[in-house]
Amino acid sequence: MTEASHEIVERALAASRADGCVVIASESSTVNLRWANNTLTTNGAARDRSVTVISIVGRSFGVRSVSSIDSGSGGGSETADKLAELVWSSEAAAKDADEAEDYADLLTPGQPGTATAGPGGEAFDEPARRTSTSVFSTFATDLGEALRAARAEGRALYGFAEHDLTTTWLGTSTGVRLRHSQPTGTVEWNAKNGQPGGSVWHGQSTHDFADVDVAATDAELRRRLAWCARSIDLPAGRYETLLPPSAVSDLILDAYWSAAGRDAAEGRTVFSRAGGGTRLGEAFGPAGLRLFSDPNDSELSCTPFVSASHSSATSSVFDNGLALGRTNWFDDGKLAALVHTRASARAAGTSATPFIDNLIMDGGGTATLDEMVASTKRGLLLTCLWYIREVDPEVLLLTGLTRDGVYLVENGEVTGAVNNFRFNESPVSALGRITEIGAATRTLGREWADWFTLSRMPALRIPDFNMSSVSPAS
Amino acid sequence: MSIAASPGAGAPGTPPHDVDPEFLALPRTALTDAALQTARDLGASHADIRIERLRDGSLSFRDGNLESSHDGSTVGFAVRVVHEGTWGFAAGVDLTVDEAVRVAREAVEIAKVARPLNSEPIELVDEPVHADATWVSAYRVNPFAIDTRDQIDRIAGLCRTLLASPDVDHVDGHFNGVQENKYYADLAGTSTTQQRVRVICQLEATKVDPAGGFETMRTIAPPVGRGWEWLIAGPAAGCWDWDAEIETIPGLLAEKAKASSVTPGRYDLVIDPSNLWLTIHESVGHATELDRALGYEAAYAGTSFATLDKLGNLRYGSPLMNVTGDRTAPHGLATIGYDDEGVATSRWDIVRSGTLVGYQLDRRMTAANAAALGVSRSNGCAFADSPGHVPIQRMANVSLAAAPGGPSTEDLIRGVDRGIYIVGDKSWSIDMQRYNFQFTGQRFYEIRKGRIVGQLRDVAYQATTTDFWGALDGLGGEQTYVLGGAFNCGKGQPGQVAAVSHGAPATLFRGVNILNTRHEAGR
């Protein structure tokens, strides 16, 4: 019999002899389907579980985690022994460790800044919620129809659908008890028609697959494949470019991940000011541009408290249980906040603004992507970006590829499919060159979809996006 | 009991080790019997079980101070079946007979759900049975047998030595040690128990210009399939000379910070193996994975220009180019005795004298393409990165052969009139068919008339794979050969990571396109 995670948290805390202790337990269940060449390739269902114990001795900490405290032969005293062994192992690690630079007193219930379950919140002792293949019941049927139609009509479909439900319990020796369940679903489609450049993509982030419309997606894929009937070769160069929300999400995520306040203050990021300090308050984008995170966003809700199993420039184990709220990273085009733990915030003389698992950009635009195409005299319309890597952190120069759909727009209409390009661009620089911001829509960045699925982005018009070279890939 | 390779085979000086008793104490037989019998009873034509335990220890340092220390253990198992010609896969974490039965049933149920979507019946190529086989990788000291305080002191000491230099403002350090235990059994009778150990340590120094801007330089020590000895034993034991490398970095960083910005154009390149391993990984390793060539990764990791119809006739590079796939190389990160389908591992040719002659395979792809491949056996490239993930075809140690009796790096440099010598990897990116790539590095030395005249900065090389390898004009000898690699090669959905090594000698390429990254940024 497997012990409930909330009980494990309580027993680990009870076993602790350290000055402070944080226990994070998680249980996840996931199901997936993968297809290629119009047939299923792999599929699966898996459950995972982990217990992480962070012991604090003096001003030092040690972390130990396991996926299971069960020996395999039963529970009872043997399980209790394994849990105690885990706790004591983390205490020994804390005694071995240096004093932590990010040391802070653990948060207590009721202290300003400490998260609360809130009205309607999840009870700490609820069992884990689980997903199952039933989440795909409608989707799998519709997928089967789409695969059959593609076979009959000479298209090839490739893709992947996954649904994960992870429940996290957080308990501290100071009395904090928090719990959160996070559903995460994605579905990605790639359709090919065998013609040069005839490859298109659509990605979607979803909580529960109820909003996944296979027929509508298939229709959009077919519309884009039709754009590929005319193939156009264009050379490398700077082009007016319509970045769709997926591409914007991937590019701006790199900026978000580079926004550690401490690193910026030390002079080693794009957000460092020459001569010392940071670029807070500096205008990077047009007036009205906002970039923010909000765990309580109705469409993109995510964990509303800090749950950190390690310390870094952007996280601190001592902040576990800290409430997360809306944080404006860019406000009216100006850099408004950098990612700060409580410790780095103290050093910077500001308030803590921890990393949050969603990201939203809004510039007040209302135009749909189709409307932006219609108002384009000549430019490129992209589908998504791929293999994005940092080239120069000083300016956050990124390189990467366009993928599965670059279209030439002339006089308001798509006139053909263009070859792919390698780009070399800085998203921070590109913000300052925006000439149009579209309506923000929920999207899935293709490059970083394995790590970050909750974003709402507008399409952006960049007048001179740097397509550094031509890629023959299609 | 059959032994694929004696513990430490091919790796002189590494003592034999037993498999971790804690792993051996897991109820492997009971779970296997329950899961495989359940799958058989439910009509599976193939069933296998993997029971795995992964220990993962990491230390991170910031400016000589320990920033975070973590030691984690993941235990679980997975059952994979072929039922009515369709895959089914399920995984669990509770190592009980009841759970093994539940997971086996779930795998069959998933196969039934998936059956209407599957138009290509799954067949696996036959492989010899390896009953009760054991294999342990070559290492001296298991990193989990070392006191954490000793590990902290060693790495923090290296960081602080760097930080003591007036040319260094910040130092970031990271160490990661892994012990991987895998048990595999299938209905045909194969059962294997294996243990691998690997470590990676990287230190990066940063110099901040008070007037704005900064420059970095990272150690080029590769990750290896060795133990803690990699950090302490030194070159006499075949390990890295950390103290010597750390001593050179401040001066090299200061020189780089003051270096001239490169003039873009075509240059001859002498590429150190510390840089070329990554180019091999991206432009040859991934391009010759058969699942990519067949389109299985089309929606995610991408396909390959090296499609199956080009086997035996694709001119991949110059006649100097000989590349092997190898899951047996001593201390290689992808080295193991048996893959995750119970196939004994091997070494084989991928590119011979510049021509594509082989792919990386698993049992299903081999069965489906045996005639085109001209082989009847898998070469053992199935791998799952955790008990919760299904095995997919992953990369072997794909390496470029040195020239027997070939020249030194200095000899190669002497043959260049106008060029750049590139050391260490940094930024990397390649397109979804493995044509167009761009790489940077840690250090770029300008070569004029056969001599190094100083460092350059802001360098990136950009090329098309077959043009680049066609420009290969010189290979160093065995004395220049180094096994580089990475812990974090990503592929598949759900995403999986794998560790892999790539060996290369020093090399000379003619007329490669060099970009100036400042210009690319519009500065």
Side-chain angles (χ1 to χ4, degrees), chain B residues 252-267:
Chain B
L252 291 168
L253 175 57
E255 183 190 0
K256 183 181 181 184
K258 293 179 202 160
S260 301
S261 196
V262 70
T263 301
R266 293 205 171 264
Y267 291 79

Side-chain angles (χ1 to χ4, degrees), chain B residues 421-500:
Chain B
Y421 172 45
I422 301 177
V423 178
D425 68 89
K426 195 173 182 186
S427 175
W428 73 101
S429 176
I430 190 165
D431 72 30
M432 45 284 178
Q433 274 187 288
R434 304 283 142 176
Y435 283 116
N436 175 303
F437 62 66
Q438 178 177 306
F439 294 92
T440 66
Q442 293 295 325
R443 297 192 281 278
F444 312 95
Y445 296 94
E446 183 178 9
I447 304 170
R448 283 190 208 150
K449 299 191 182 309
R451 293 180 56 245
I452 285 175
V453 297
Q455 286 193 57
L456 295 167
R457 57 184 294 172
D458 309 321
V459 178
Y461 64 97
Q462 200 180 73
T464 297
T465 292
T466 46
D467 293 345
F468 177 79
W469 288 104
L472 176 64
D473 195 38
L475 284 175
E478 289 286 355
Q479 73 277 21
T480 71
Y481 187 91
V482 177
L483 203 60
F487 266 31
N488 59 340
C489 173
K491 185 179 173 184
Q493 287 179 309
Q496 300 193 39
V497 293
V500 60

Side-chain angles (χ1 to χ4, degrees), chain B residues 53-211:
Chain B
R53 175 175 183 256
L54 279 168
R55 286 197 71 182
D56 191 306
S58 65
L59 301 169
S60 61
F61 300 83
R62 189 179 179 103
D63 292 341
N65 298 315
L66 179 70
E67 185 176 58
S68 212
S69 160
H70 179 262
D71 185 336
S73 172
T74 301
V75 181
F77 73 101
V79 177
R80 185 178 68 155
V81 302
V82 178
H83 186 271
E84 294 182 2
T86 297
W87 284 126
F89 175 84
V93 292
D94 297 327
L95 303 186
T96 64
V97 168
D98 288 349
E99 181 69 353
V101 170
R102 184 196 71 78
V103 168
R105 283 181 178 151
E106 186 171 29
V108 172
E109 281 307 308
I110 285 178
K112 289 178 179 173
V113 169
R115 178 68 189 88
L117 304 176
N118 184 25
S119 61
E120 295 178 8
I122 303 298
E123 293 182 15
L124 304 182
V125 71
D126 288 336
E127 288 287 339
V129 169
H130 306 284
D132 199 19
T134 299
W135 184 91
V136 180
S137 70
Y139 61 91
R140 278 175 174 268
V141 183
N142 190 321
F144 296 96
I146 296 296
D147 191 283
T148 306
R149 186 66 240 177
D150 292 343
Q151 296 184 337
I152 292 169
D153 288 345
R154 172 60 174 152
I155 300 167
L158 293 170
C159 292
R160 287 169 187 157
T161 300
L162 273 175
L163 200 59
S165 166
D167 290 318
V168 174
D169 294 306
H170 298 287
V171 176
D172 296 299
H174 177 73
F175 171 79
N176 186 199
V178 175
Q179 177 186 315
E180 175 188 288
N181 285 103
K182 283 177 176 273
Y183 170 81
Y184 168 92
D186 61 30
L187 281 177
T190 286
S191 62
T192 62
T193 304
Q194 305 188 83
Q195 176 165 303
R196 300 198 292 182
V197 165
R198 55 183 175 266
V199 296
I200 182 172
C201 183
Q202 294 184 322
L203 310 175
E204 185 175 70
T206 301
K207 183 173 180 57
V208 177
D209 182 346

Side-chain angles (χ1 to χ4, degrees), chain A residues 39 67 96 263 268 387 450, chain B residues 62 75 119 149 172 282 300:
Chain A
T39 188
S67 63
D96 273 342
D263 288 346
R268 44 179 172 159
Y387 222 133
D450 286 346
Chain B
R62 189 179 179 103
V75 181
S119 61
R149 186 66 240 177
D172 296 299
E282 299 291 4
Y300 181 67

